């Protein structure tokens, strides 16, 4: 049981390049989330999904796109990276139908630097 | 949308003392309040949570209190130990089945000194 995993762990991009971050969970969770963490600003929600094939905007969605083609995977895309997107990105998942727990389980994070 | 404010941003205590971190929220519909601990370079991990139908919850040295009228909640750590040193985040959410989206505070850096 790996929990929530993220790929890659580190990445350096040049301005204008694109990339995709992959999140995978093996807990049969319905909900998945992408956050960014910047110094002094806590964790801010970028996009989230309440089930396979669904996505929705969070607090800071501009410049990012997401897809949830399979229940266990949630992809975060940057089409044209900007230095302002330098951050640590965390994926999380939660909620199994029929179970009362609401805990969000986080992945290990991806440290992204945009030059 | 929801806004969560957290204080203090840094907190230094002596080993064995108590530590208190406070948060306020803006949306009276919020009904779920978790606290996460994040060690340096690691992922956030849930340490305790409380729902709005409960005023206080305790788990060994950690307790959380909730005042719905004032819209604030607090984390209390007693008998602090060096391994309690970390960043602590409070959060708030409305549990509706619509994603249970968390709004986080900006974090408190707790340092427990020997």
């Amino acid at each position: 049981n790996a929990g929530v995993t993220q790929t890659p762990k580190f990445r350096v991009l040049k301005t204008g390049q694109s990339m995709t971050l992959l999140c995978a969970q093996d807990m049969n969770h319905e909900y998945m989330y992408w956050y960014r963490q910047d110094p002094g600003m806590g964790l801010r929600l970028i996009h989230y999904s309440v089930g396979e094939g669904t996505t929705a905007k969070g607090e800071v969605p501009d410049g990012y796109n997401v897809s949830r083609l399979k229940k266990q995977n949630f992809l975060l895309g940057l089409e044209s990276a900007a230095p302002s997107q330098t951050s640590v990105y965390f994926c999380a998942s939660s909620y199994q139908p029929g179970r009362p727990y609401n805990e969000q389980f986080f992945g290990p994070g991806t440290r992204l630097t945009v030059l | 949308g929801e806004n969560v404010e957290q204080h203090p941003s840094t907190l230094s205590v002596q080993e064995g003392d108590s530590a208190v971190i406070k948060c306020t929220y803006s949306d009276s519909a919020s009904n779920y309040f978790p606290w996460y601990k994040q060690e340096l370079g690691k992922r956030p991990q849930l340490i305790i949570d409380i729902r709005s139908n409960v005023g206080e919850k305790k788990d060994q040295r950690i307790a959380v209190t909730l005042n719905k009228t004032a819209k604030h909640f607090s984390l209390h750590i007693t008998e602090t130990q060096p391994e309690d040193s970390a960043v602590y985040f409070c959060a708030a959410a409305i549990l509706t089945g619509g994603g249970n989206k968390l709004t986080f505070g900006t974090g408190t850096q707790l340092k427990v000194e020997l």
Side-chain angles (χ1 to χ4, degrees), chain B residues 25-63:
Chain B
Y25 61 98
S26 61
D27 191 340
S28 56
S30 290
N31 56 6
Y32 175 64
F33 307 93
W35 287 87
Y36 283 81
K37 175 183 180 182
Q38 186 178 28
E39 297 177 353
L40 187 63
K42 301 289 183 64
R43 71 190 79 188
Q45 292 191 298
L46 182 74
I47 55 171
I48 196 167
D49 58 9
I50 191 169
R51 295 205 187 195
S52 58
N53 58 350
V54 175
E56 183 173 358
K57 184 177 179 181
K58 190 173 182 180
D59 182 4
Q60 299 183 334
R61 296 186 297 108
I62 293 173

Side-chain angles (χ1 to χ4, degrees), chain A residues 4 31 33 35 37 40-43 45 48 50 57 90 94-95 100-108, chain B residues 32 36 38 41-46 49 51 89 95-107:
Chain A
V4 181
Y31 302 160
Y33 316 83
Y35 294 91
Q37 184 173 35
M41 301 188 75
L43 292 121
L45 183 65
Y48 66 101
V50 298
K57 294 180 180 179
F90 285 99
S94 73
Y95 184 58
Y101 306 112
N102 300 291
E103 177 179 358
Q104 286 190 18
F105 292 85
F106 284 80
Chain B
Y32 175 64
Y36 283 81
Q38 186 178 28
K42 301 289 183 64
R43 71 190 79 188
Q45 292 191 298
L46 182 74
D49 58 9
R51 295 205 187 195
F89 292 96
L95 300 181
T96 62
N100 299 347
K101 302 182 299 293
L102 292 175
T103 300
F104 284 86
T106 51

Side-chain angles (χ1 to χ4, degrees), chain A residues 71-82:
Chain A
K71 184 177 182 178
Q72 64 268 34
N73 295 338
F74 196 28
L75 278 63
L76 177 71
L78 286 74
E79 289 188 348
S80 180

Side-chain angles (χ1 to χ4, degrees), chain B:
Chain B
E2 175 67 277
N3 182 50
V4 177
E5 295 191 354
Q6 182 172 348
H7 300 280
S9 57
T10 60
L11 179 59
S12 184
V13 299
Q14 294 292 316
E15 183 180 6
D17 287 349
S18 295
V20 180
I21 302 171
K22 299 181 179 182
C23 290
T24 61
Y25 61 98
S26 61
D27 191 340
S28 56
S30 290
N31 56 6
Y32 175 64
F33 307 93
W35 287 87
Y36 283 81
K37 175 183 180 182
Q38 186 178 28
E39 297 177 353
L40 187 63
K42 301 289 183 64
R43 71 190 79 188
Q45 292 191 298
L46 182 74
I47 55 171
I48 196 167
D49 58 9
I50 191 169
R51 295 205 187 195
S52 58
N53 58 350
V54 175
E56 183 173 358
K57 184 177 179 181
K58 190 173 182 180
D59 182 4
Q60 299 183 334
R61 296 186 297 108
I62 293 173
V64 57
T65 58
L66 171 65
N67 183 327
K68 286 190 296 183
T69 303
K71 289 190 281 189
H72 68 69
F73 55 112
S74 300
L75 178 71
H76 304 253
I77 305 174
T78 59
E79 301 173 16
T80 54
Q81 301 168 2
E83 51 265 38
D84 294 329
S85 295
V87 178
Y88 292 81
F89 292 96
C90 63
I94 304 171
L95 300 181
T96 62
N100 299 347
K101 302 182 299 293
L102 292 175
T103 300
F104 284 86
T106 51
T108 296
Q109 174 76 64
L110 174 64
K111 183 177 181 181
V112 180
E113 298 177 334
L114 298 172

Side-chain angles (χ1 to χ4, degrees), chain A residues 13-44:
Chain A
L13 290 179
K14 295 181 179 179
T15 296
Q17 287 184 320
S18 63
M19 78 163 294
T20 300
L21 284 69
L22 172 63
C23 176
Q25 53 94 5
D26 61 2
M27 295 176 282
N28 197 34
H29 283 163
E30 292 293 322
Y31 302 160
M32 295 187 75
Y33 316 83
W34 276 107
Y35 294 91
R36 61 177 289 172
Q37 184 173 35
D38 302 294
M41 301 188 75
L43 292 121
R44 293 182 292 168

